[in-house]
């Protein structure tokens, strides 16, 4: 027997053990699993097979919000949470660093980004935005032979899938990339009994998996299932045929893609497999559609009970709506339970798009009442909650979030439909493109997904001006991009990290960053002398760098804190022992695996072996320590004031401020903001001690009242407690109602150094998630002082407005302008948020009062002007004249009063601003005036004056400029008279020439 075949069959016997079939018939049976074998059993069988028979570690699904991975909107594959292992950046002290064989069922969302199935959901019967990915992994343990053997055994022996329904693809090679065909994998499948006719080679696109432009990659082999059977379906593999689908993908990560696109063999090979639970259950339950399985049938039944349409049948437009709603409510429930809420950007924007798509199908196609979507959440929890218990725990909150967003969308949907209808009525040509500006307004202002705008227009037979819309989107994106001054980080590849380990470079000793103390009420930070053990130029490890070269410096030890846990990295510089006068400024400090990388632009030559001294920016570090401890106190205060259901959803702190995101329904009141500040400042004033202790992770998790976030923690882990020693918390099982968190950051030793905390901003990021921004110390004092100064200004302005009821327009407008300026100051000056909210409310009242005063004076002036003009002009059908007015508003009001007094008159007034030469123009014509349109009249006059105007057929306004208002009035009157007399307007040579001469003189 050939050696490989012997090893493969032995591996099969060794790995599989006795098969646990779902039912007592031959695995060659034509039909799949009977319907009573539920999805829960299918999932359980997969996990048990690897966990108990093949010694894999069962790892819980990570939340669908990626952990510290800005390249992803959502977790979209089982491997996402293991990327630190694959990239070699895992914290060597973390539990993850010990993973060798792993199995799990991962919650995945594919909507937005590279993997986006949103547009396909509903149109077919097998795409989903949310799905579960069953997977097994090997990190430097087994490889191709064992992976293939286990997969084939599970499918054919344990699940009992007929082997004659399965096809296998493998990598055919790519000569242009220098990659040979994966003949090793092909031979393994042959020896496992797969016929050669069912082993199909494919290229890079289908059978070579890459994490991104750079990083781990390798060939993959895929197992496909034929739902029809009894035929040769080899030609249908990878053709998107709905009856022949990919079931399981086995990826063999054996290369690393370098920045210059070269491939380098990985020092440790890994296996990453993924199989969609929904597709597998469809096969095992013998269904024609994923939606016919017990993962979806309860949802479809619940939808039918709440809708006004017939039951789900699978083939009509109504059935498309059933599938969309069933799929989307699963996605919404899982995402919201994991802390992703519908919002305005990133993953939150995608989720809002999903919610609104589901609501529209509910209302318009299924004719279901409002609230239907949220009412389906308990059914989702029933079908998935056993394996994902957070769905039961968070069900009420999930329903609240969905209902709030649905209410808001339904109101904006009607408003948007009205706007579309009005715009279409104004479009003269039915083949005209829909204005991009209106489509963008629907998206930006009313929150319509752009595909929903397209759909609503498509139903009316109209297309949007896509070229102009793309331009508006690009302009918006450009404006939204924040251009930071920080240089890009020199990311280290997995191959570079492996090279460091091969060279015997030990992980950086980071203990000094915590070894500070208080002496005579001053913090003393330790000196740090270190040796350069490695240099990284952005591409590879080098032995030295020249002046001006950007590089990453790895030292044997460091006192610098690398950015982590929401705390900004330390600042400072390093110097060579033999070149003390030349500082190497540290631009960034970050972690890569167990190494700390100090990014610098070399101020002189630097080479491995150099001895250096690190100089920490102590003021910056101390400010970060203050704000980190203050963040913990703020987290505790929010829970005390708002209730224990408040959960931290993110944080970031730097030397100048701190930010905390948390779950809460609604905005905080002024009273609540004050209470939160008071809670924090009471602990600050008490100068409570801060205790830190490293504890075994499992022991730490037993502490009552412990607050954690979704992170991979090292083991042992640092526990930070305020006022109560960690040792007491470990011994006492009762909740001491103090701040106690797992935290890797640097903290104060006593709370008094915070001095003061002021919340300067509070807002809802999305429904159900709020953000507070706070400042401490001197910044907090300045914020309080600024708030008091603004309070005095508001009170002073209010008193002046109350005491002086001015009858002068200039004075009233001056006060109104002063209110606006003060409002801007209140909005933009850092001050206590509770006080800002109070001042904003008072200023809004003052603004209404001042605007009312201005309008009254303008109306009074307009009445006087109108009466004077009525006395002066006896012509009934046409009144054109000039008036003295300093605002277009007064001119317009005067026109309105004249038209009210003479409803059959065509009225235009011009107001000349002598200091600037500007001319205000306003006009109004009778509603039944067929000959002369107000907008045409205003446009003609204002353009004659070198400006422009616009309005409706009845009322219009505009501006221009002229040195001779008399000529302008004459031209406007002649233009109108010619039209009213039924004559075609001719070129008014004499008057227009002299008028334009006046314009040019004025411009000069």
């Amino acid at each position: 027997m050939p050696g490989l075949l012997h090893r493969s069959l032995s591996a099969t016997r060794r790995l599989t053990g006795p098969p646990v079939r779902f039912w007592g018939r031959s695995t060659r049976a034509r039909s799949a699993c009977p319907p009573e074998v539920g999805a829960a059993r299918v999932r359980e069988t997969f996990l048990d097979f690897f966990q108990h028979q093949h010694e894999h570690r069962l790892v819980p699904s990570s939340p669908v919000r990626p952990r510290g991975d800005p390249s992803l909107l959502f977790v979209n594959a089982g491997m996402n949470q293991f990327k630190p292992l694959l990239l070699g950046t895992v914290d060597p002290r973390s539990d993850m660093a010990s993973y060798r064989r792993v199995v799990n069922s991962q919650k995945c969302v594919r909507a937005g980004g590279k993997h986006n199935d949103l547009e396909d959901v509903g149109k077919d019967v097998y795409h989903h935005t949310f799905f579960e990915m069953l997977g097994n992994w090997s990190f430097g343990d087994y490889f191709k032979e064992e992976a293939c053997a286990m997969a084939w055994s599970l499918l054919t022996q344990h699940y009992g899938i007929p082997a004659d329904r399965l096809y296998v693809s493998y990598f055919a090679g790519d000569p242009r990339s220098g990659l040979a065909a994966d003949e090793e994998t092909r031979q393994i499948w042959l020896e496992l009994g797969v016929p050669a006719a069912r082993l199909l080679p494919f290229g890079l696109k289908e059978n070579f998996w890459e994490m991104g432009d750079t990083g781990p990659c390798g060939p993959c082999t895929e197992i496909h299932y034929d739902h029809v059977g009894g035929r040769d379906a080899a030609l249908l593999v990878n053709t998107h045929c709905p009856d022949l689908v990919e079931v399981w993908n086995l990826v063999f990560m054996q290369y690393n893609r370098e920045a210059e696109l070269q491939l380098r063999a990985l020092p440790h090979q890994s296996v990453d497999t993924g199989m969609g639970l929904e597709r597998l259950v469809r096969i095992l339950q013998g269904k024609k559609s994923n939606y016919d399985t017990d993962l979806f049938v309860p949802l479809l039944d619940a939808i039918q009970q709440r809708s006004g349409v017939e039951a789900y049948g699978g083939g009509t437009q109504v059935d498309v709506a059933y599938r969309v709603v069933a799929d989307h409510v699963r996605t919404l429930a899982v995402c919201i339970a994991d802390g992703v809420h519908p919002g305005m950007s990133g993953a939150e924007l995608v989720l809002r798009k999903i919610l609104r798509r589901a609501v529209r199908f509910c209302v318009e196609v299924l004719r279901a009442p409002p609230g239907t979507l949220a009412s389906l959440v308990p059914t989702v929890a029933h079908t998935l909650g056993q394996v994902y218990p957070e769905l039961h725990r968070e069900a009420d909150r999930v329903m609240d979030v969905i209902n709030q967003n649905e209410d808001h969308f339904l109101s904006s949907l009607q408003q948007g439909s009205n706007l579309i209808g009005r715009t279409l009525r104004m479009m003269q040509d039915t083949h005209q493109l829909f204005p991009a500006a209106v489509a963008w307004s629907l998206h930006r202002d009313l929150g319509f997904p752009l595909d929903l705008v397209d759909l609503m227009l498509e139903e009316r037979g109209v297309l949007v001006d896509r070229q102009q819309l793309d331009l508006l989107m690009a302009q918006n994106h450009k404006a939204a991009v924040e251009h930071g001054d920080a240089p890009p980080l020199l990311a280290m590849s997995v191959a570079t990290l492996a090279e460091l380990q091969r060279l015997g470079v030990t992980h950086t000793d980071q203990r000094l960053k915590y070894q500070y103390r208080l002496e005579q009420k001053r913090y003393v930070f330790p000196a740090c002398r270190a040796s350069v053990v490695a240099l990284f130029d952005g591409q590879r490890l080098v032995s030295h760098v020249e002046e001006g070269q950007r590089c990453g410096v790895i030292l044997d030890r460091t006192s610098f804190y690398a950015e982590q846990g929401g705390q900004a990295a330390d600042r400072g510089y390093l110097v060579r022992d033999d070149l003390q006068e030349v500082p190497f400024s540290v631009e960034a400090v970050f972690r890569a695996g167990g190494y700390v990388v100090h990014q610098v632009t070399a101020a002189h030559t630097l080479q491995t072996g150099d001895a250096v001294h690190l100089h920490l920016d102590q003021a910056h570090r101390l400010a970060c320590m203050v704000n980190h401890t203050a963040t913990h106190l703020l987290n505790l205060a929010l829970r005390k004031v708002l209730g224990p259901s408040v959960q931290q959803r993110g944080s970031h702190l730097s030397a100048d401020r701190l930010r905390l995101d948390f779950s809460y329904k609604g905005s905080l009141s002024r009273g609540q903001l004050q209470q939160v500040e008071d809670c924090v400042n009471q602990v600050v004033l008490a100068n409570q001690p801060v205790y830190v202790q490293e504890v075994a992770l499992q022991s730490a998790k037993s502490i009552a009242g412990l607050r954690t976030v979704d992170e991979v923690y090292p083991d042992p882990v640092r526990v930070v407690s305020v006022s109560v020693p960690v040792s007491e918390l470990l011994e006492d099982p009762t909740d001491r109602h103090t701040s106690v968190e797992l935290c890797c950051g640097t903290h104060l030793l006593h709370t008094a150094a915070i001095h003061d905390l002021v919340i300067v901003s509070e807002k809802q990021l999305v429904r159900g998630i709020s953000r507070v921004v706070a400042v401490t110390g001197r910044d907090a004092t300045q914020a309080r002082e600024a708030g008091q100064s603004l309070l005095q200004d508001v009170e002073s302005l209010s008193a002046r407005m109350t005491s002086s009821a001015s009858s002068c327009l200039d004075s009233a407008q001056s006060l109104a302008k002063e209110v606006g300026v003060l409002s801007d100051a209140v909005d933009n000056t850092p001050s206590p948020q509770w006080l800002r909210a109070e001042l904003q409310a008072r200023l809004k009242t003052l603004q209404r009062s001042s605007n009312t005063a201005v309008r009254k004076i303008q109306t009074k002036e307009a009445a006087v002007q109108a009466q004077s003009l009525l006395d002066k002009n006896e012509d009934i059908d046409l009144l054109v004249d000039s008036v003295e007015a300093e605002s277009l508003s007064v001119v317009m009001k005067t026109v309105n009063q004249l038209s009210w007094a003479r409803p059959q008159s065509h009225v235009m007034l011009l107001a000349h601003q002598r200091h600037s030469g500007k001319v205000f123009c306003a006009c109004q014509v009778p509603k039944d005036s067929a000959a002369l349109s107000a907008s045409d009249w205003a446009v003609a006059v204002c353009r004659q004056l070198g400006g422009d105007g616009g309005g409706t057929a009845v009322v219009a306004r505009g501006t221009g400029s002229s040195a001779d208002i008399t000529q302008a009035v004459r031209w406007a009157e002649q233009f109108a008279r010619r039209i009213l007399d039924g004559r075609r307007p001719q070129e008014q040579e004499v008057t227009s020439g002299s008028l334009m001469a006046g314009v040019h003189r004025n411009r000069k």
Side-chain angles (χ1 to χ4, degrees):
M1 182 181 290
L4 179 59
L5 175 62
H6 175 73
R7 290 197 310 275
S8 179
L9 295 178
S10 298
T12 304
R13 287 192 294 269
R14 182 179 70 252
L15 291 167
T16 58
V20 183
R21 295 195 181 97
F22 278 17
W23 69 99
R25 66 167 102 166
S26 169
T27 60
R28 306 292 296 180
R30 184 173 177 79
S31 64
C33 220
E36 61 268 16
V37 177
R41 176 79 185 280
V42 175
R43 185 193 300 112
E44 181 184 359
T45 298
F46 181 92
L47 299 176
D48 285 350
F49 175 81
F50 286 100
Q51 181 183 11
H52 299 304
Q53 297 190 40
H54 301 299
E55 299 176 344
H56 284 59
R57 179 171 182 166
L58 178 60
V59 174
S61 169
S62 70
V64 293
R65 180 188 289 277
R67 291 173 176 148
D69 189 347
S71 67
L72 293 175
L73 291 173
F74 301 98
V75 166
N76 59 20
M79 55 75 59
N80 290 159
Q81 70 167 309
F82 304 119
K83 281 176 74 171
L85 269 172
L86 300 173
L87 294 171
T89 59
V90 65
D91 188 328
R93 301 171 302 156
S94 70
D95 194 30
M96 184 182 289
S98 66
Y99 292 175
R100 291 297 174 265
R101 296 183 174 206
V102 167
V103 63
N104 87 339
S105 179
Q106 173 64 49
K107 298 177 290 186
C108 296
V109 174
R110 289 191 175 174
K114 179 181 176 182
H115 299 286
N116 183 6
D117 292 338
L118 178 56
E119 304 306 324
D120 295 317
V121 170
K123 297 176 183 177
D124 59 35
V125 296
Y126 52 87
H127 274 102
H128 305 288
T129 52
F130 165 77
F131 67 98
E132 294 180 70
M133 184 174 283
L134 305 172
N136 61 290
W137 288 266
S138 164
F139 304 107
D141 194 318
Y142 60 82
F143 202 45
K144 295 179 181 180
E145 183 178 331
E146 294 89 340
C148 293
M150 285 188 285
W152 195 252
S153 170
L154 178 61
L155 292 180
T156 61
Q157 296 184 342
H158 292 254
Y159 283 137
I161 296 176
D164 60 9
R165 294 283 191 99
L166 300 176
Y167 295 80
V168 179
S169 64
Y170 68 95
F171 181 51
D174 186 73
R176 288 177 299 178
S177 304
L179 289 168
D182 189 5
E183 288 295 330
E184 180 186 1
T185 296
R186 181 177 183 273
Q187 191 62 35
I188 290 170
W189 285 121
L190 287 171
E191 293 172 353
L192 285 170
V194 179
R198 291 173 179 267
L199 271 171
L200 309 170
F202 286 91
L204 282 171
K205 180 180 178 182
E206 296 85 1
N207 280 87
F208 194 89
W209 186 89
E210 303 199 47
M211 184 180 294
D213 294 335
T214 60
C217 57
C220 63
T221 181
E222 297 175 331
I223 304 172
H224 303 256
Y225 178 82
D226 181 14
H227 282 279
V228 177
R231 60 176 180 170
D232 181 359
L235 293 177
L236 297 178
V237 172
N238 282 333
T239 62
H240 304 289
C241 173
D243 291 325
L244 204 155
V245 296
E246 173 202 333
V247 180
W248 204 344
N249 186 10
L250 285 65
V251 179
F252 306 126
M253 277 178 270
Q254 58 190 91
Y255 304 109
N256 187 68
R257 176 78 71 182
E258 304 291 330
E260 59 273 16
L261 301 182
Q262 293 179 347
L263 291 172
R264 184 191 299 184
L266 285 171
H268 303 292
Q269 297 171 329
S270 298
V271 174
D272 163 17
T273 86
M275 175 162 56
L277 175 67
E278 291 76 8
R279 291 189 182 186
L280 178 61
V281 172
R282 173 188 172 189
I283 292 169
L284 296 179
Q285 293 184 358
K287 301 297 185 182
K288 295 180 180 180
S289 159
N290 292 3
Y291 292 91
D292 294 329
T293 68
D294 66 336
L295 286 168
F296 289 93
V297 167
L299 272 171
L300 298 176
D301 289 343
I303 293 169
Q304 199 275 326
Q305 291 170 12
R306 294 160 174 79
S307 70
V309 296
E310 66 274 13
Y312 177 74
T316 67
Q317 182 61 28
V318 169
D319 295 323
V320 171
Y322 267 107
R323 291 193 288 270
V324 167
V325 173
D327 171 87
H328 287 8
V329 75
R330 286 176 15 123
T331 304
L332 289 165
V334 168
C335 287
I336 296 170
D338 278 351
V340 184
H341 288 216
M344 292 299 290
S345 63
E348 287 79 7
L349 180 59
V350 175
L351 197 63
R352 186 176 72 159
K353 181 176 179 179
I354 290 171
L355 184 142
R356 294 186 165 198
R357 191 167 185 251
V359 169
R360 189 158 187 259
F361 273 101
C362 265
V363 173
E364 297 187 3
V365 182
L366 297 174
R367 301 200 300 275
T372 294
L373 194 62
S375 73
L376 300 173
V377 170
T379 307
V380 176
H382 175 73
T383 56
L384 299 176
Q386 184 177 359
V387 66
Y388 307 121
E390 64 273 11
L391 290 171
H392 285 302
R393 189 170 60 247
E394 301 286 344
D396 289 342
R397 185 174 63 83
V398 171
M399 293 170 68
D400 285 343
V401 171
I402 292 176
N403 277 329
Q404 290 172 14
N405 280 272
E406 179 179 355
D407 291 344
H408 185 263
F409 176 55
L410 289 176
S411 63
S412 64
L413 185 64
Q414 184 60 51
Q415 188 177 352
S417 297
N418 294 340
L419 179 57
I420 288 174
R422 184 166 64 250
T423 305
L424 291 175
R425 287 192 296 272
M426 294 174 63
M427 290 167 56
Q428 297 175 354
D429 184 357
T430 55
H431 299 292
Q432 185 180 350
L433 291 174
F434 190 82
V438 179
W440 183 246
S441 176
L442 285 165
H443 175 67
R444 180 194 59 205
D445 302 327
L446 297 181
F448 274 51
L450 288 174
D451 69 329
L452 178 56
V453 176
D454 288 335
L455 183 61
M456 295 175 73
L457 292 175
E458 185 182 321
E459 292 169 352
R460 295 165 169 83
V462 180
L463 296 176
V464 73
D465 186 342
R466 178 56 60 181
Q467 183 176 359
Q468 189 63 28
L469 182 60
D470 289 343
L471 180 62
L472 288 173
M473 292 170 63
Q475 291 172 346
N476 180 74
H477 177 72
K478 183 178 179 181
V481 172
E482 295 181 2
H483 299 283
D485 295 329
L489 296 182
L490 300 174
M492 302 185 77
S493 70
V494 63
T496 303
L497 293 169
E499 179 70 4
L500 286 169
Q501 294 173 11
R502 189 188 68 79
L503 293 171
V505 178
T506 57
H507 290 151
T508 311
D509 182 349
Q510 306 173 53
R511 289 173 294 180
L512 276 177
K513 67 185 179 185
Y514 297 128
Q515 294 176 8
Y516 47 87
R517 63 190 187 278
L518 269 173
E519 285 186 5
Q520 298 179 344
K521 298 184 179 181
R522 293 177 61 87
Y523 280 88
V524 178
F525 297 91
C528 181
R529 187 175 185 276
S531 296
V532 178
V533 294
L535 294 167
F536 177 64
D537 68 358
Q539 301 292 329
R540 60 188 61 82
L541 296 176
V542 293
S543 60
H544 72 282
V545 291
E546 299 295 334
E547 181 179 346
Q549 191 173 353
R550 179 170 290 157
C551 65
V553 181
I554 299 177
L555 307 171
D556 61 341
R557 65 203 305 249
T558 184
S559 57
F560 277 41
Y561 184 86
E563 181 158 358
Q564 187 183 10
Q567 179 176 329
D570 279 339
R571 295 178 182 175
Y573 62 93
L574 57 87
V575 295
R576 281 173 28 191
D577 266 10
D578 59 346
L579 200 66
Q580 295 281 338
E581 69 277 10
V582 179
F584 291 68
S585 178
V586 177
E587 300 164 351
V589 189
F590 60 94
R591 292 160 48 86
Y595 302 103
V596 175
V597 183
H598 307 73
Q599 187 165 306
V600 305
T601 298
H604 203 278
T605 58
L606 190 67
Q607 62 186 23
T608 54
D610 279 347
V612 296
H613 271 91
L614 278 77
H615 294 265
L616 180 70
D617 184 334
Q618 297 184 9
H620 178 272
R621 161 67 83 81
L622 181 56
C624 288
M625 290 162 54
V626 165
N627 284 343
H628 206 149
T629 302
T631 302
H632 283 215
L633 299 182
L634 180 60
N635 192 7
L636 175 68
L638 286 166
R639 289 169 62 89
K640 282 185 175 180
V641 173
L642 305 179
S645 63
V646 169
Q647 296 293 328
Q648 180 178 331
R649 295 299 186 191
S651 67
H652 187 267
L653 64 101
S654 58
D656 59 345
R657 60 181 47 209
L658 61 97
R659 184 193 78 212
L660 186 66
D661 301 341
F662 57 95
S663 59
Y664 187 63
K665 182 180 175 181
S667 297
L668 276 68
S669 68
R670 280 174 266 176
Q672 288 173 325
L673 288 167
Q674 286 179 289
Q675 289 179 55
V676 171
E677 282 187 9
D678 290 344
C679 280
V680 172
N681 288 320
Q682 285 172 12
V683 180
V684 172
L685 189 62
N687 195 22
Q688 298 282 6
V690 180
Y691 299 96
V692 180
Q693 182 177 329
E694 275 203 349
V695 177
L697 182 59
Q698 199 59 38
S699 299
K701 289 182 176 180
S702 69
I703 295 175
L706 178 75
R707 274 163 288 286
T708 63
V709 293
D710 177 47
E711 287 184 6
V712 176
Y713 290 102
D715 191 4
V717 65
R718 286 167 56 86
V719 180
V720 179
S721 170
V722 176
S723 78
V724 182
V726 177
S727 57
E728 289 186 22
L729 295 173
L730 291 168
E731 295 169 359
D732 185 354
T734 60
D735 189 348
R736 303 291 286 273
H737 301 290
T738 188
S739 171
V740 54
E741 301 188 23
L742 304 184
C743 183
C744 60
T746 59
H747 285 269
L748 297 171
L749 301 180
H750 287 83
T751 61
I754 297 172
H755 295 298
D756 189 10
L757 178 138
V758 170
I759 297 172
V760 295
S761 172
E762 183 272 335
K763 64 179 180 181
Q764 276 208 302
L765 296 179
V766 295
R767 293 180 185 273
I769 301 292
S770 290
R771 168 175 290 177
V772 291
V773 176
V775 292
T776 57
R778 179 167 177 75
D779 290 336
T781 302
Q782 290 176 344
R784 292 196 190 279
E785 291 172 352
Q788 289 302 309
S789 176
L790 289 169
L791 174 61
Q792 292 172 8
D793 290 343
V794 170
E795 289 177 339
S796 172
L797 178 58
S798 178
R800 282 187 286 124
M801 289 181 63
T802 303
S803 62
S804 60
S806 176
S807 59
C808 171
L809 182 59
D810 285 345
S811 177
Q813 288 178 329
S814 177
L815 284 172
K817 184 177 180 180
E818 196 172 339
V819 173
V821 170
L822 190 51
S823 294
D824 289 341
V826 168
D827 290 344
N828 298 309
T829 303
S831 60
Q833 177 62 27
W834 63 266
L835 180 57
R836 176 186 289 112
E838 180 182 322
L839 296 180
Q840 286 170 331
R842 292 176 63 175
L843 284 167
K844 190 175 290 185
T845 302
L846 292 178
Q847 191 76 66
R848 284 196 296 267
S849 299
S850 63
N851 289 343
T852 300
V854 169
R855 283 195 300 270
K856 284 181 178 179
I857 296 172
Q858 287 177 337
T859 302
K860 186 176 180 180
E861 287 189 5
V864 173
Q865 295 265 23
Q867 187 58 52
S868 174
L869 290 167
L870 287 171
D871 295 340
K872 175 182 173 184
N873 295 276
E874 297 181 357
D875 194 334
I876 294 177
D877 71 330
L878 182 63
L879 194 164
V880 182
D881 210 332
S882 63
V883 293
E884 294 291 331
E886 295 185 2
S887 73
L888 183 54
S889 177
V890 171
V891 181
M892 195 71 247
K893 282 183 169 64
T894 307
V895 167
N896 293 153
Q897 295 206 19
L898 287 170
S899 295
W900 179 81
R902 289 186 179 176
Q904 295 306 311
S905 290
H906 297 73
V907 180
M908 175 175 281
L909 297 180
L910 303 177
H912 187 224
Q913 310 302 300
R914 289 185 176 83
H915 61 283
S916 65
K918 193 172 186 178
V919 176
F920 296 135
C921 169
C923 65
Q924 185 167 337
V925 303
K927 291 183 179 179
D928 57 358
S929 176
L932 181 59
S933 160
S935 60
D936 292 345
W937 193 9
V939 168
V941 172
C942 292
R943 286 182 178 174
Q944 189 65 27
L945 297 173
D948 206 353
T952 68
V954 177
V955 181
R957 66 180 70 190
T959 60
S961 58
S962 174
D964 191 342
I965 191 65
T966 304
Q967 289 281 19
V969 170
R970 185 178 302 134
W971 195 94
E973 184 174 4
Q974 289 176 354
F975 178 89
R977 178 57 65 194
R978 289 177 185 276
I979 295 178
L980 292 174
D981 290 348
R983 290 173 290 163
R984 183 178 179 182
Q986 302 295 322
E987 186 69 29
Q988 303 171 37
E989 296 179 359
V990 177
T991 56
S992 68
S994 60
L995 179 61
M996 288 309 296
V999 172
H1000 294 316
R1001 284 197 304 274
N1002 185 63
R1003 286 177 177 171
K1004 289 180 181 179

